[in-house]
Amino acid sequence: MITLRQWRKIVNAVMLTLTGVSTVLTVSVLFIILGLLLYKGASSLSWNFFTKLPVPTGETGGGMANAIVGSLQIVGLAGLIGIPIGFLAGVYLSEYEGKQFASFVRYVADLLNGVPSIIVGILAWTLVVLPMKSNSAMAGAIALSVMLIPIVTRQTEQFLREVPLALREGALALGASKWQTIATVVVPAGSKGVLTGMILGVARIAGESAPLIFTAGFNQYWGGMREPTASLPVMIYTRAISPFDDWHQQAWAAGLVLIALVLTANILARLVLAKGISVPRG
Amino acid sequence: MASTAAVATARVKTRNSQTGDNIARLIVLVFAVSLLVITGLLVIELYIRAAPAREKLGWGFLGSTAWNPVTEEFGALPFLYGTVVTSLVGMLISVPLGVGAAMFLSELAPAKISNALTFVIELLAAIPSVIYGLLAIFTLVPLMRLYVEPFLKSLLGFLPLFRGPAFGVGYLTAGVVLAIMTIPFVISVSREALLAVPREQREAALALGATRWETTWQIVVPYAKLGIVGAVFLGLARALGETMAVTMVIGNSPTVKASLLAPGYTIAAVIANEFAEAGGRIHPAALVELGLVLFGLTIVINGAARLMIIATTKKGSKR
């Protein structure tokens, strides 16, 4: 016969164990993913992978140099567009707020951040691909920058808010104007965090494939700002759904490269740059 | 004389810095407004591009199951159905696991371990969608086809949900992938909601003789309820709009099937697959209209989630 007291203890132990089990399950997913990618991808990685153009199935020695360069072009341009816009909008939200308008902008930024990436792709398609009548690295970059802007805005805002009010007051008391205070005191004080936010944002868009499929498109050869351009994520997708074994191998190798880049950026940004700062979710 | 000059320069300086201030304010304001412009542009462009489909197909579009680009018959139902079903399956798995893990991280684990595990979970959220898809195609799909689906059929085959051949691809597999992808969001947002519950609440319950679990389940969780529901909605919005991983395992069949084992289609997946090649006037417009429906769904759910999260994190005193 179990008494109520014992029953409560049993429930306690069982449920607490279950919460631990769900944590272990979730955390182990990361290690399973990394393990599988290393196991299946590492054998297909070679020097050729980074230096050669893709070859048709059946031929050996092909690589993904065009997709690696394409990704750099697309993500680089997206960063050049998205980071300044996002940063300045973040400065507005953190330093000039106090009215309903700012919280409205903040809310819209969060909504924009939650828009499915494929829909952002449609926007870039109508704005860039239709008028240019061709897929291009530029169209892909526009799509990715639309995703990057709200991320950078919110991260910039949050990190600048963490700068103590006393620093601002000190600068203002010394006779600095508001924008001098922001430019010479607030932003430098929050720069580590802001930089972290930017790196995390770029790492996030670097792995996006959905908005690139019909904007940057695909290219067997080298792309360009005005031409269809291959990118690593789209390459992984097209190779993975192909029926060929040697292309699957390429997909695994590309997956390993992509995740290495994304995770390295994340770990560096969170552990080294933002040591001791709590990083808000993008 | 000298002092008047000094006063004059000081005045000029102040005026300069005031104009500087105004210019700076104007610049950052313009960029903040650009966020609104982009969002407005998104809505307007989608609305305009979907116009041909709206005119030709009307409201019947939402209820029709036909999808034939050749005869220009388009219906949204299979895609809506697939999007909702896969997301619900995903949330059914990820919510209990995610909230459970969040309880462990906020209530049980020592701060150091909790932070380390949270770090790993945040890395999980950073993994690109296409990588989940890649792993799902080559590991999860065979696993589902050979073991999980036959097992579910033998155990629950009397339900219409688990009938028909086990393909490996389909609603259930897509749901599992979505579960794995949404768990990190559910965990980190609900963990924050739980951490925002004041310590006194826990101490009072424990002092009254409640066990750790009773304190968590009956005191802490109800206190953080709104934030947790917000976390669930946030995860749901992600699941609805998730594209690549789902496209790779959903089976790409524009049908409405009761069985979770059957292949289906989602809105995001059909846009990803067909938009680049869509010809004519109506086909691309129909795809954009599907996009508009998806956009509306995610905006409503996201909007509600953000409001709930704002409401909870405001009232609690953190940590």
Side-chain angles (χ1 to χ4, degrees), chain A residues 26-182:
Chain A
T26 310
V27 169
S28 56
V29 169
L30 180 72
F31 296 100
I32 293 173
I33 290 176
L34 291 180
L36 275 168
L37 279 168
L38 269 177
Y39 172 67
K40 298 230 182 184
S43 56
S44 314
L45 269 187
S46 63
W47 189 241
N48 280 343
F49 182 87
F50 296 99
T51 55
K52 293 272 170 65
L53 285 174
V55 292
T57 177
E59 287 178 35
T60 51
M64 290 196 184
N66 62 339
I68 295 170
V69 173
S71 265
L72 286 178
Q73 285 177 319
I74 296 168
V75 174
L77 184 60
L80 283 181
I81 302 168
I83 287 178
I85 299 179
F87 172 73
L88 290 169
V91 170
Y92 175 81
L93 288 184
S94 151
E95 303 303 312
Y96 291 90
E97 68 120 21
K99 282 167 226 148
Q100 287 193 323
F101 180 68
S103 41
F104 178 64
V105 172
R106 186 173 307 123
Y107 193 67
V108 170
D110 280 344
L111 290 185
L112 189 58
N113 198 1
V115 170
S117 54
I118 187 95
I119 289 177
V120 174
I122 296 183
L123 176 68
W125 181 82
T126 62
L127 292 182
V128 187
V129 178
L130 269 187
M132 284 176 65
K133 296 194 178 64
S134 158
N135 289 341
S136 59
M138 206 197 301
I142 300 272
L144 292 188
S145 68
V146 169
M147 301 188 63
L148 184 60
I149 290 169
I151 303 176
V152 173
T153 299
R154 293 292 272 140
Q155 301 255 6
T156 304
E157 183 205 350
Q158 300 218 1
F159 284 116
L160 290 187
R161 266 165 192 276
E162 281 177 18
V163 175
L165 200 58
L167 279 183
R168 296 187 176 87
E169 287 167 351
L172 290 171
L174 285 174
S177 65
K178 184 156 188 175
W179 70 272
Q180 285 170 328
T181 307
I182 295 170

Side-chain angles (χ1 to χ4, degrees), chain A residues 8 12 15 19 22-23 26 88 92 107-108 114 119 123 125-126 130 178-179 204 207 209 237 248 255 262 270 281, chain B residues 20-21 31 39 45 49 97 100-101 104 122 126 128 131 138 183 188 192 209 213-214 244 273 275 291 302-303:
Chain A
R8 286 174 57 203
N12 184 48
M15 296 312 287
T19 63
S22 26
T23 311
T26 310
L88 290 169
Y92 175 81
Y107 193 67
V108 170
I119 289 177
L123 176 68
W125 181 82
T126 62
L130 269 187
K178 184 156 188 175
W179 70 272
R204 160 125 177 251
S209 39
Y237 171 63
H248 295 165
V262 169
R270 286 170 198 271
R281 283 172 318 282
Chain B
D21 253 1
F31 283 101
T39 313
E45 283 290 343
R49 297 285 163 199
L97 275 175
F104 179 81
E122 263 156 24
I131 303 261
F138 294 112
I183 280 184
S188 55
E192 238 140 77
W213 169 252
E214 287 163 349
M244 296 322 290
N273 275 332
F275 197 71
N302 249 318

Side-chain angles (χ1 to χ4, degrees), chain B:
Chain B
M1 265 326 262
S3 69
T4 357
V7 169
T9 14
R11 268 197 198 134
V12 172
K13 256 193 178 165
T14 331
R15 203 180 306 140
N16 276 349
S17 71
Q18 263 175 1
T19 14
D21 253 1
N22 285 334
I23 292 170
R25 193 192 144 79
L26 202 66
I27 290 174
V28 290
L29 180 65
V30 164
F31 283 101
V33 169
S34 75
L35 273 164
L36 304 183
V37 173
I38 292 169
T39 313
L41 212 57
L42 195 57
V43 179
I44 294 167
E45 283 290 343
L46 286 177
Y47 193 78
I48 293 174
R49 297 285 163 199
R54 220 172 20 248
E55 282 155 20
K56 177 144 190 278
L57 309 163
W59 286 105
F61 176 69
L62 289 177
S64 161
T65 57
W67 189 265
N68 190 340
V70 180
T71 57
E72 296 207 325
E73 285 175 280
F74 300 100
L77 197 59
F79 310 102
L80 259 178
Y81 176 78
T83 304
V84 172
V85 167
T86 50
S87 301
L88 287 184
V89 171
M91 297 318 287
L92 271 179
I93 303 169
S94 73
V95 168
L97 275 175
V99 175
M103 285 188 225
F104 179 81
L105 292 173
S106 79
E107 306 298 312
L108 274 182
K112 264 198 172 165
I113 295 178
S114 172
N115 287 339
L117 292 177
T118 306
F119 177 72
V120 171
I121 288 163
E122 263 156 24
L123 288 186
L124 210 50
I127 294 179
S129 170
V130 71
I131 303 261
Y132 282 105
L134 174 73
L135 283 145
I137 283 192
F138 294 112
T139 56
L140 186 65
V141 169
L143 211 67
M144 297 293 285
R145 185 176 59 231
L146 297 176
Y147 303 104
V148 180
E149 293 183 350
F151 171 74
L152 283 173
K153 272 167 72 174
S154 66
L155 193 71
L156 299 163
F158 58 91
L159 292 171
L161 285 178
F162 301 101
R163 277 187 199 152
F167 291 108
V169 294
Y171 299 113
L172 185 63
T173 310
V176 172
V177 174
L178 286 177
I180 297 171
M181 297 183 70
T182 49
I183 280 184
F185 291 96
V186 176
I187 294 181
S188 55
V189 180
S190 27
R191 173 175 172 262
E192 238 140 77
L194 292 172
L195 284 176
V197 175
R199 169 179 280 275
E200 293 78 18
Q201 296 280 331
R202 298 183 182 89
E203 285 169 353
L206 290 171
L208 287 172
T211 61
R212 237 330 170 23
W213 169 252
E214 287 163 349
T215 307
T216 306
W217 188 242
Q218 295 173 14
I219 308 297
V220 179
V221 170
Y223 199 99
K225 194 169 56 191
L226 214 52
I228 294 174
V229 177
V232 172
F233 275 42
L234 214 56
L236 181 61
R238 292 256 165 196
L240 290 170
E242 184 45 59
T243 311
M244 296 322 290
V246 173
T247 308
M248 291 159 93
V249 298
I250 185 70
N252 299 344
S253 152
T255 48
V256 176
K257 290 275 167 62
S259 173
L260 292 179
L261 310 184
Y265 226 147
T266 68
I267 295 178
V270 74
I271 299 175
N273 275 332
E274 296 189 4
F275 197 71
E277 274 95 37
R281 227 166 64 87
I282 310 294
H283 191 189
L287 290 169
V288 175
E289 187 154 17
L290 278 175
L292 195 60
V293 172
L294 178 63
F295 178 78
L297 264 179
T298 50
I299 285 286
V300 168
I301 293 173
N302 249 318
R306 297 285 174 189
L307 287 180
M308 281 187 250
I309 292 166
I310 290 170
T312 31
T313 29
K314 250 185 198 160
K315 73 180 176 186
S317 60
K318 223 173 170 188
R319 257 158 270 202

Side-chain angles (χ1 to χ4, degrees), chain A residues 184-199:
Chain A
T184 58
V185 176
V186 181
V187 171
S191 61
K192 265 190 163 185
V194 171
L195 199 58
T196 307
M198 290 173 182
I199 295 176

